[in-house]
Amino acid sequence: MKPGTEFEIVPSGAALGAEIRGIDLSRPLDDETFRAIEAAFNEHSVLCFRNQDLKPPQLIDYASRYGEVQRLMFFNHYAMPDYPEILYISNIQENGQDIGYADAGSVWHTDMSFEQRPPRATMLHAREIPITEDGTVLGETLFASAVKAYESLEPELKEKLKGLRVVHDVAGRRRKTGTGTKEDQEEYEAKPLIVHPAIRRHPYTDRQAIYVFNGECVAIEGMDDTEALPLIDELASTVIRDEFIYRHRWAVGDLIMWDNCAVQHLAMHDYELPLRRMMWRITVGYTEVYE
């Protein structure tokens, strides 16, 4: 795009989220335009670009502006042929088998917190979405601001949380939902536990955010479970209060990107075949998790 290309940032009106208008991501972005979009991403945590039609290399090129494209630790059997960086999030089946990760995001979570250095950003590009005969769009995605949730805490609780470290067990989420295949769960169970601070400091904005959610967060170091588990539940429940949530209703061509340092998300699974859903997912940017 030409230097200084004008575009519009339209906040969602919710606690987070904004739409970027006037940008075609299939075309290269000049540095000035990219820096402005990146600043909007850091401010709003979730960005939506409507009416995009990206080829896989174009999606990879745009995503890589935010950091190194991440390797798929799990579900690489759902990766796009010839472009293993891209994961199919889809309920479509061939020969009775899912071609993509069909039940992704079925509980509130932050992507890949089971890694020592989780991704900075996740992007989903909508190729097919489930729409009923009367035109109702299903399969919304909900995003919650863990930053706004932290800022809402009482000073006494903020003080208590200083220095607390939470144990993340990737298999815990699957145990909670009972979803996924036996082979997938075995792969999860083999993953070592990871410990992260309960409150993480954002590497780009320096704001603090709750880094706790139910299912995957199973303990707090040095704290008895009788105290730790209610505290985990309290923090997790705070993040997903209505006032901290933006609901995204998808349209074909949407590219949504979210900040895993600041956001938790949940995918609504209120549809089934023959209603089809196909998203291309990519995660980028290794980030340190520190207090």
Side-chain angles (χ1 to χ4, degrees), residues 171-188:
R173 195 192 313 173
R174 287 293 169 183
R175 294 192 204 104
K176 179 179 180 181
T177 61
T179 54
T181 66
K182 177 182 177 183
E183 291 75 15
D184 291 338
Q185 187 65 17
E186 289 173 350
E187 196 173 5
Y188 275 135

Side-chain angles (χ1 to χ4, degrees), residues 231-259:
L231 181 55
I232 287 172
D233 185 66
E234 178 184 357
L235 294 172
S237 298
T238 298
V239 174
I240 61 173
R241 292 205 317 240
D242 287 346
E243 62 261 40
F244 304 136
I245 290 177
Y246 161 64
R247 301 179 68 99
H248 184 72
R249 177 171 293 183
W250 291 91
V252 171
D254 284 358
L255 185 135
I256 288 281
M257 58 182 297
W258 62 88
D259 184 345

Side-chain angles (χ1 to χ4, degrees), residues 1-67:
M1 301 187 69
K2 295 180 180 180
T5 298
E6 291 187 3
F7 62 91
E8 188 178 6
I9 303 170
V10 183
S12 70
L16 69 168
E19 182 179 337
I20 303 295
R21 298 177 182 173
I23 293 289
D24 179 357
L25 294 177
S26 69
R27 302 173 62 190
L29 296 177
D30 63 87
D31 289 344
E32 180 182 346
T33 301
F34 173 74
R35 284 194 297 270
I37 293 172
E38 184 179 33
F41 180 55
N42 289 335
E43 178 181 354
H44 296 285
S45 302
V46 178
L47 295 183
C48 174
F49 301 82
R50 302 281 192 183
N51 303 311
Q52 305 296 314
D53 185 16
L54 304 183
K55 302 295 188 291
Q58 294 168 336
L59 176 58
I60 293 168
D61 284 348
Y62 174 66
S64 65
R65 298 288 293 267
Y66 294 87

Side-chain angles (χ1 to χ4, degrees), residues 82-144:
D82 301 324
Y83 297 98
E85 304 94 331
I86 297 174
L87 178 70
Y88 288 142
I89 305 295
S90 178
N91 69 334
I92 299 171
Q93 295 186 341
E94 293 180 357
N95 301 317
Q97 299 294 318
D98 292 329
I99 68 170
Y101 187 4
D103 57 4
S106 55
V107 297
W108 284 102
H109 68 288
T110 297
D111 285 336
M112 298 170 66
S113 73
F114 51 82
E115 295 290 345
Q116 194 64 51
R117 299 174 66 211
R120 175 187 182 187
T122 301
M123 301 183 189
L124 278 186
H125 188 21
R127 312 302 297 184
E128 293 186 60
I129 61 172
I131 305 178
T132 64
E133 290 183 357
D134 66 1
T136 301
V137 176
L138 302 178
E140 291 182 333
T141 302
L142 281 61
F143 299 94

Side-chain angles (χ1 to χ4, degrees), residues 182-225:
K182 177 182 177 183
E183 291 75 15
D184 291 338
Q185 187 65 17
E186 289 173 350
E187 196 173 5
Y188 275 135
E189 296 284 358
K191 179 72 176 174
L193 301 180
I194 293 292
V195 178
H196 291 307
I199 306 300
R200 72 175 297 182
R201 188 173 296 278
H202 195 288
Y204 292 87
T205 68
D206 215 34
R207 298 175 75 182
Q208 291 179 291
I210 297 173
Y211 202 55
V212 175
F213 27 93
N214 280 317
E216 196 164 302
C217 295
V218 297
I220 297 175
E221 281 190 333
M223 185 179 292
D224 188 270
D225 283 353

